[in-house]
Amino acid sequence: MNFKGQIRFLFLFLIFISFNSFGQNTHPLLADDAEAQRKWVDSVYAQMSLDEKIGQLFMVDVFSSASERELNRTRKLIKEHKIGGLIFSKGGPKRQISIHNEFQELSDFPLIIGMDAEWGLSMRLDSTFALPWNMTLGAIKDNKLIESAGAAIGRHSKRMGVHINFAPVVDINTNPNNPIIGNRSFGEEKENVAEKSVAFMKGMHKEGVLSSAKHFPGHGDTDSDSHKTLPTISFSEERIKEVELYPYYDLIREGLSSVMVAHLNVPQLENRENLPSSLSNNIISDLLKDQMGFNGLIFTDALNMKGAADYKTIGEIDLAAFLAGNDILLMSKDVPKAIETITNAYIKGTISEPRLAHSVKKILLAKYKVGLNNYKPVRPGYIYEELKTVRDSALFESLVESSLTLLKNNKAVVPIKNLEKKKIAYVNFGDADGSEFLAQMRKYAKVDWVSATTISGLLNKLEEYNYVVIGFHKPDVNPWAGYKFSPREIEWIHEISRKNTTVLGLFTRPYALTPLPTQNLEGILIGYQNNKIAQQKLAQVIFGGLEAKGLLPVSLGTEYPVGTGFQTKGLNRMSYGKPENVGLNSHKLQKIDSIIEDAIDKEMTPGAQILVARKGKVVYQKNFGYHTYEKNIPVSDTSLYDLASLTKILATLPLIMQQEEEGIVNFDTRLDELLPLFEGSNKGHITLQDMLMHYAGLKAWLPFYVPTIDKVTRKPSTVYYSKTPSADFNTTVAEEMFIRNDMQDTILDIIKESKLESRQKYKYSDLPFYMLKYYLEAYYQTTLHSITQENLYKPLGANYTGYLPLTKFQKEQIVPTENDKLWRGQVVHGYVHDQGAAMQGGIGGHAGLFSTANDVAKMMHVFLYNGAYGGEKFFKEETVGKFNTCYYCEEDVRRGVGFDKPQLQTSGPTCNCVSMSSFGHSGFTGTFAWADPEEEIVYVFLSNRTFPDSNNRKLIREDVRSKIQGVIYDAIDF
């Protein structure tokens, strides 16, 4: 054997030894069945011609949106030039799958498929899922979530037949002005970037997708874009190894599949002037392979980028890249020319057989590892559904929640406390939409959107408010989109914050804050992006529905160093999110839609609001149908429904509960103690407990309005009613209908004189709540309307809840309840439906409240969580338990003290699937609210089944409310 032959043999022997020692070194491209993998690699390599071997070095870009002419060029490269892989770019999933399957069939050897899916397939494909950008993820403390993000992208990639995702980006973004990295980086702290990168990589690997760290040796501290020019890294070798290379060491140790080498000028690592790092033997072979010990695949960055393409001629650049140590030449400008150049170099001996074998066999190892030894076409069926799942949405929500960063919090202005004392304004800046942010804030409190054309005009309007929230919203179209404040916005924000308590919500990259004077801002929160979820979640942090958890991943001058972030505690206000994050199944909950849509189609009700919450999080909130069958006004989140008997537990009962724990009343307090009028009557001895448990022998109801109807005309008697208000007729019943003032006393007298049932037994009755209304108003010397507003709804932020809705809201926002032809002779719209409450001027202890499902849920959460909500303590824990107890179960009375409870037998108010500790109430108009402490579920159903005719009992007969409740419990996964 001659000397050259000996050298060749030695090189091949070393390759063999390295392959066989992969298992000991946990080589990143080794499969579990390494011996079978080695045999396959050797067998395939042995079959290949020189052209086929060299072809394996090339990965060509393909647009699934490309024309047939462009695709034909790729077909030719596959058939004639035997290329080894494709990198898919812009297009759509189904088209890509079609092209993928065709091209794999066309190729003699399976093609390895890559994609840039840094934040998901949506980086390149329409109709696919996008996860948050790396800068957002960099703010998250829990790296398990980052691993889950990598796994999600891995699942999507694998489903599309993609074998290698060119991610994670591990550049350390120490330059705020970096034009190409920025949001694509996990931040500027090397340890955080390394930890996030490793977690992200592990997630992808778990799903069987190869990783690729980029852009080696580090593109984070550049001020130019290598797509357009050759950026220079001018730092010392020591600094580069200490900072830029830091993540690579951790990634390599943890099994990094591949590295993408950037086109950078790095004088301290390569002494040849302006030689791109992608063509540098010193940087690739000496540093990356030898010094850092990396033996995975090495990709060039795209060779058609200006940073590399301008250095050498076509073909020569590819050869230089290969000689430098790259394995795969990405997006060559001219593949045939490059292959010809490399072939000639091989023939001349410039490239040795061992050198070629080294790269080709690594490529084949990778192909085996991803299953291309047993290639199967990609299934196109259900592709859109599988690339956008509820699991993905739940993960996205968790990532955003964990990233939100409270940068400044003077005087603990976040979260907002004492809502009853706040008048809140929202002012928006930026050139993107902020409507989700405002809508979400309005679920917590009354928030006015304030704007003006001049700063003086705006400041004048803001004088009415004591808390201003500014939203800065910039387009979320891509990580490179504009993010800066305009000079005018900087000036206006400075003036607003100088004169008002101001909190800024930033929905763009953190660097936007750099030129902004922040000394007068009390609070600064960073949402990082302007998507719908970021807006919703940041609003929830402001109001204490969620905690602020994130840490600033980059520094903003000296005032806000990297890692800044105030951690807040929630105020036990409701949050809003995905069912899966609280153990409910979205798909199963969708059955609710079909049940209520069927009910509307069958005219059981014109429309409805339905809300489901679990563990303090609203996970289902939908509106169905219209206010009436005329279908003029669709039901919305802010449509106001007549709650009917829900008034009992949402107005009267909470006030009694507060009095009980204050010692003003107790369960044994007699009616004649509450209302001396009843002293000596047949009801004076009745206790508060028996009244509220409907075990006092009272009549179910009394038709107070019937005697006021003229027996001849069958219309409201003029003795009792007037069409215009006056001193004697100033209690409003309905539109142009005023009742005589003394009827209030008459109602109480009628109750006093009414007979009791012949024996004590359970009988549901409105009468206790009539009497308690009179008691409470006498005790507090004001109306029940005022008492509930001050004691309950204002502190709750339940600003859509209350009596007399027409005094606060437009009629079009209120849902009508009935076309009352018997008594009022009109459509009951904006006035209480219940006749007795109407005769009391719309303010009854048993009926009269109007509200939304969202507001009702707030009060139900107060009960569910032992009297606490929004930083307020409405009741003690033991008080809720005391009232939510079935004291007379043995007498077959299911009720608690004021609350309805689950049925003791087969029929009753619930689905027979709730816990016995659950409680709630239903209402005549088609309403229902229920809370279950054991499952931490709140369910609210609001409808106007009584419209246009209250005799329509189809909703009750079909048990729609209970059926929906059954669906909720069937949807519990854990």
Side-chain angles (χ1 to χ4, degrees):
M1 184 181 295
N2 61 26
F3 180 73
K4 186 179 283 187
Q6 290 175 344
I7 293 296
R8 183 179 177 190
F9 174 80
L10 179 61
F11 204 102
L12 286 171
F13 178 75
L14 290 172
I15 291 287
F16 175 78
I17 291 297
S18 67
F19 278 4
N20 280 276
S21 64
F22 283 164
Q24 299 167 18
N25 298 328
T26 60
H27 188 285
L29 300 178
L30 272 194
D32 292 336
D33 52 345
E35 183 59 26
Q37 180 187 31
R38 183 188 65 79
K39 290 179 180 178
W40 183 84
V41 169
D42 290 344
S43 171
V44 172
Y45 188 80
Q47 299 172 36
M48 287 179 165
S49 66
L50 179 60
D51 288 346
E52 290 167 336
K53 291 173 184 175
I54 293 174
Q56 290 298 301
L57 307 176
F58 291 87
M59 182 175 270
V60 176
D61 61 320
V62 181
F63 288 68
S64 56
S65 58
S67 67
E68 203 55 29
R69 181 181 176 186
E70 291 168 319
L71 293 175
N72 281 334
R73 290 197 195 103
T74 308
R75 292 184 179 103
K76 187 175 181 180
L77 292 174
I78 294 169
K79 286 301 292 178
E80 297 183 11
H81 298 284
K82 315 299 181 183
I83 59 172
L86 303 172
I87 174 171
F88 274 101
S89 192
K90 295 288 187 180
K94 282 204 168 179
R95 177 83 168 132
Q96 179 168 314
I97 289 172
S98 175
I99 294 169
H100 173 281
N101 289 342
E102 179 203 341
F103 285 5
Q104 289 283 19
E105 186 67 28
L106 198 62
S107 180
D108 294 333
F109 300 97
L111 298 162
I112 192 165
I113 307 299
M115 275 192 78
D116 282 313
E118 295 168 16
W119 56 88
L121 297 178
S122 68
M123 184 174 177
R124 293 290 182 252
L125 298 180
D126 61 39
S127 309
T128 55
F129 199 81
L131 285 171
W133 300 325
N134 281 359
M135 185 70 75
T136 308
L137 301 184
I140 297 171
K141 289 188 288 187
D142 183 0
N143 288 328
K144 285 292 182 185
L145 283 172
I146 310 303
E147 187 173 326
S148 296
I153 294 173
R155 277 194 305 277
H156 298 163
S157 299
K158 191 172 184 178
R159 179 63 182 87
M160 283 295 298
V162 173
H163 309 117
I164 183 164
N165 178 19
F166 292 109
V169 173
V170 302
D171 299 313
I172 298 169
N173 204 78
T174 48
N175 186 344
N177 297 316
N178 193 316
I180 191 61
I181 303 301
N183 277 326
R184 298 165 69 196
S185 167
F186 289 116
E188 72 172 57
E189 189 177 57
K190 63 182 183 180
E191 292 85 1
N192 187 43
V193 172
E195 290 170 7
K196 299 289 186 291
S197 299
V198 168
F200 191 96
M201 175 189 75
K202 285 182 175 179
M204 289 198 298
H205 287 180
K206 282 183 179 179
E207 298 297 332
V209 171
L210 302 180
S211 56
S212 186
K214 61 186 184 185
H215 304 82
F216 188 85
H219 207 320
D221 201 342
T222 61
D223 54 12
S224 56
D225 179 0
S226 56
H227 292 83
K228 302 173 183 178
T229 187
L230 181 66
T232 295
I233 303 292
S234 56
F235 304 111
S236 68
E237 181 177 356
E238 182 183 8
R239 144 69 197 247
I240 293 169
K241 289 183 176 180
E242 185 179 310
V243 178
E244 274 72 17
L245 297 184
Y246 184 90
Y248 289 95
Y249 286 105
D250 284 359
L251 287 161
I252 291 168
R253 187 166 50 250
E254 296 293 338
L256 177 65
S257 309
S258 73
V259 166
M260 178 182 284
V261 183
H263 310 308
L264 301 168
N265 177 34
V266 193
Q268 296 302 316
L269 299 181
E270 173 54 64
N271 54 22
R272 282 174 286 179
E273 188 176 356
N274 291 327
L275 178 70
S277 48
S278 54
L279 310 184
S280 169
N281 183 76
N282 291 335
I283 291 174
I284 299 170
S285 293
D286 293 349
L287 176 59
L288 179 57
K289 289 183 176 181
D290 297 342
Q291 295 179 37
M292 300 180 71
F294 182 64
N295 48 20
L297 280 175
I298 302 175
F299 289 81
T300 67
D301 205 342
L303 290 173
N304 58 8
M305 291 165 59
K306 288 285 188 180
D310 289 349
Y311 186 77
K312 282 184 175 285
T313 59
I314 292 174
E316 290 298 323
I317 188 174
D318 304 83
L319 174 59
F322 184 69
L323 291 174
N326 292 290
D327 298 308
I328 294 183
L329 310 175
L330 189 65
M331 296 168 61
S332 172
K333 227 173 180 182
D334 188 332
V335 173
K337 180 66 175 174
I339 289 176
E340 179 187 348
T341 304
I342 291 174
T343 303
N344 289 337
Y346 180 88
I347 293 169
K348 291 176 182 177
T350 307
I351 296 174
S352 66
E353 167 58 24
R355 171 66 188 92
L356 182 62
H358 176 76
S359 287
V360 175
K361 286 194 174 185
K362 271 207 286 182
I363 293 166
L364 292 175
L365 282 171
K367 289 186 176 184
Y368 186 97
K369 187 174 178 69
V370 297
L372 283 172
N373 59 307
N374 186 27
Y375 165 74
K376 294 177 182 177
V378 180
R379 295 179 296 103
Y382 299 103
I383 189 62
Y384 295 112
E385 294 83 355
E386 291 179 39
L387 294 181
K388 280 187 173 183
T389 67
V390 292
R391 181 183 181 186
D392 299 325
S393 297
L395 173 61
F396 188 99
E397 178 180 281
S398 295
L399 293 167
V400 172
E401 282 186 11
S402 298
S403 71
L404 302 176
T405 304
L406 180 57
L407 201 61
K408 186 177 181 181
N409 196 24
N410 284 3
K411 300 178 183 177
V413 292
V414 175
I416 300 177
K417 306 168 191 71
N418 303 316
L419 289 178
E420 70 277 14
K421 299 177 182 178
K422 297 293 190 295
K423 189 166 185 187
I424 305 168
Y426 163 70
V427 180
N428 67 304
F429 292 103
D431 49 4
D433 181 55
S435 57
E436 288 289 344
F437 185 46
L438 177 60
Q440 187 69 52
M441 287 194 291
R442 284 175 169 170
K443 290 186 177 182
Y444 289 101
K446 186 176 187 297
V447 179
D448 295 329
W449 184 9
V450 179
S451 62
T453 56
T454 64
I455 183 60
S456 59
L458 184 59
L459 293 174
N460 286 339
K461 290 183 178 181
L462 291 176
E463 287 179 359
E464 298 179 30
Y465 301 87
N466 58 15
Y467 197 106
V468 178
V469 178
I470 295 175
F472 182 60
H473 304 274
K474 297 297 286 184
D476 221 17
V477 290
N478 61 56
W480 308 281
Y483 63 93
K484 296 181 179 180
F485 288 99
S486 69
R488 176 177 177 269
E489 288 170 333
I490 291 173
E491 179 190 349
W492 282 37
I493 291 171
H494 177 65
E495 288 301 316
I496 293 169
S497 62
R498 200 165 58 85
K499 296 189 175 184
N500 301 273
T501 296
T502 307
V503 171
L504 171 65
L506 191 78
F507 296 96
T508 187
R509 68 175 79 178
Y511 294 126
L513 288 171
T514 305
L516 185 72
T518 62
Q519 66 270 21
N520 294 320
L521 289 165
E522 275 75 20
I524 302 174
L525 292 116
I526 303 178
Y528 296 96
Q529 297 178 236
N530 194 47
N531 55 65
K532 174 181 176 181
I533 302 300
Q535 292 187 41
Q536 292 174 349
K537 298 298 180 181
L538 198 69
Q540 292 175 48
V541 170
I542 289 174
F543 282 90
L546 291 175
E547 299 175 355
K549 301 176 183 178
L551 298 176
L552 186 65
V554 294
S555 58
L556 305 175
T558 57
E559 190 173 2
Y560 306 111
V562 64
T564 300
F566 291 92
Q567 314 300 295
T568 61
K569 290 187 177 181
L571 293 179
N572 201 34
R573 290 194 180 111
M574 294 189 307
S575 63
Y576 300 78
K578 301 295 179 188
E580 280 66 22
N581 285 332
V582 290
L584 291 174
N585 187 303
S586 292
H587 293 300
K588 292 179 180 178
L589 286 176
Q590 285 178 1
K591 294 178 185 176
I592 296 173
D593 298 33
S594 57
I595 293 173
I596 189 60
E597 285 165 359
D598 179 66
I600 291 170
D601 288 344
K602 292 177 179 175
E603 297 194 346
M604 300 182 198
T605 180
Q609 289 177 349
I610 302 175
L611 181 148
V612 179
R614 192 179 191 209
K615 298 179 181 178
K617 188 183 290 285
V618 176
V619 296
Y620 181 102
Q621 186 180 8
K622 290 188 180 180
N623 309 299
F624 299 90
Y626 295 81
H627 285 202
T628 69
Y629 291 113
E630 282 71 35
K631 298 183 177 181
N632 293 324
I633 304 174
V635 177
S636 71
D637 283 352
T638 56
S639 295
L640 295 169
Y641 279 90
D642 182 333
L643 299 184
S645 284
L646 294 191
T647 303
K648 295 180 173 75
I649 66 166
L650 300 179
T652 309
L653 185 63
L655 298 175
I656 293 297
M657 291 170 71
Q658 288 176 343
Q659 286 205 341
E660 192 276 338
E661 73 175 36
E662 290 168 11
I664 300 169
V665 299
N666 59 56
F667 282 7
D668 295 325
T669 299
R670 292 162 48 109
L671 180 56
D672 54 13
E673 294 177 84
L674 297 173
L675 293 169
L677 174 69
F678 284 83
E679 189 173 346
S681 73
N682 61 351
K683 302 175 186 65
H685 68 284
I686 296 174
T687 65
L688 180 64
Q689 176 175 306
D690 286 353
M691 275 200 301
L692 291 175
M693 295 190 72
H694 305 278
Y695 196 58
L698 295 166
K699 298 292 183 183
W701 74 298
L702 296 171
F704 302 108
Y705 75 99
V706 172
T708 68
I709 297 175
D710 189 298
K711 293 180 180 179
V712 177
T713 64
R714 297 189 179 276
K715 291 182 179 181
S717 169
T718 55
V719 174
Y720 298 102
Y721 301 98
S722 169
K723 288 189 176 183
T724 57
S726 65
D728 294 328
F729 295 84
N730 62 10
T731 301
T732 306
V733 173
E735 191 170 349
E736 295 184 353
M737 187 176 183
F738 300 88
I739 196 169
R740 213 169 67 195
N741 296 343
D742 61 358
M743 283 303 296
Q744 298 283 329
D745 295 332
T746 301
I747 288 171
L748 200 55
D749 287 336
I750 292 172
I751 295 173
K752 177 187 172 185
E753 299 303 322
S754 65
K755 293 182 179 180
L756 295 175
E757 295 294 326
S758 57
R759 65 184 181 88
Q760 188 178 26
K761 62 178 181 178
Y762 167 72
K763 188 159 194 173
Y764 178 74
S765 174
D766 283 342
L767 300 184
F769 291 89
Y770 275 88
M771 294 183 284
L772 289 174
K773 165 208 157 63
Y774 287 106
Y775 159 70
L776 289 166
E777 290 186 338
Y779 184 88
Y780 290 107
Q781 292 294 294
T782 188
T783 65
L784 195 57
H785 172 55
S786 297
I787 304 165
T788 51
Q789 285 297 327
E790 296 306 315
N791 284 29
L792 301 172
Y793 310 137
K794 286 182 180 179
L796 273 175
N799 62 296
Y800 292 102
T801 304
Y803 296 96
L804 312 177
L806 286 172
T807 62
K808 189 175 179 182
F809 300 99
Q810 294 296 312
K811 194 174 186 178
E812 292 74 23
Q813 193 175 337
I814 305 166
V815 180
T817 49
E818 185 180 12
N819 186 357
D820 182 2
K821 298 177 181 178
L822 177 63
W823 175 44
R824 283 163 280 205
Q826 61 184 268
V827 172
V828 181
H829 191 182
Y831 300 92
V832 63
H833 176 266
D834 182 90
Q835 296 94 336
M839 293 174 72
Q840 294 175 305
I843 305 172
H846 66 295
L849 272 191
F850 286 73
S851 189
T852 64
N854 188 64
D855 269 11
V856 171
K858 292 175 185 177
M859 196 68 221
M860 296 305 291
H861 273 81
V862 173
F863 297 134
L864 184 65
Y865 292 108
N866 301 312
Y869 191 87
E872 305 269 351
K873 193 68 176 173
F874 292 89
F875 324 108
K876 296 175 183 175
E877 182 176 346
E878 56 267 29
T879 303
V880 178
K882 190 181 293 187
F883 280 78
N884 181 31
T885 297
C886 177
Y887 292 100
Y888 297 142
C889 280
E890 292 182 2
E891 282 75 36
D892 204 27
V893 179
R894 71 170 188 259
R895 299 267 175 172
V897 183
F899 294 113
D900 201 356
K901 299 278 291 171
Q903 54 264 40
L904 300 175
Q905 307 299 328
T906 54
S907 62
T910 72
C911 59
N912 254 330
C913 54
V914 299
S915 75
M916 293 309 293
S917 63
S918 68
F919 57 92
H921 218 284
S922 58
F924 183 80
T925 52
T927 60
F928 187 80
W930 207 264
D932 188 338
E934 292 187 25
E935 292 294 349
E936 290 187 76
I937 286 176
V938 166
Y939 162 43
V940 180
F941 180 103
L942 303 184
S943 77
N944 58 330
R945 64 110 195 148
T946 51
F947 189 88
D949 184 354
S950 61
N951 291 317
N952 176 6
R953 297 181 58 83
K954 286 188 255 183
L955 188 86
I956 300 167
R957 201 161 49 241
E958 294 297 321
D959 207 16
V960 169
R961 291 169 286 189
S962 293
K963 284 179 181 176
I964 289 173
Q965 191 175 46
V967 169
I968 296 166
Y969 279 75
D970 286 342
I972 297 173
D973 282 343
F974 59 86

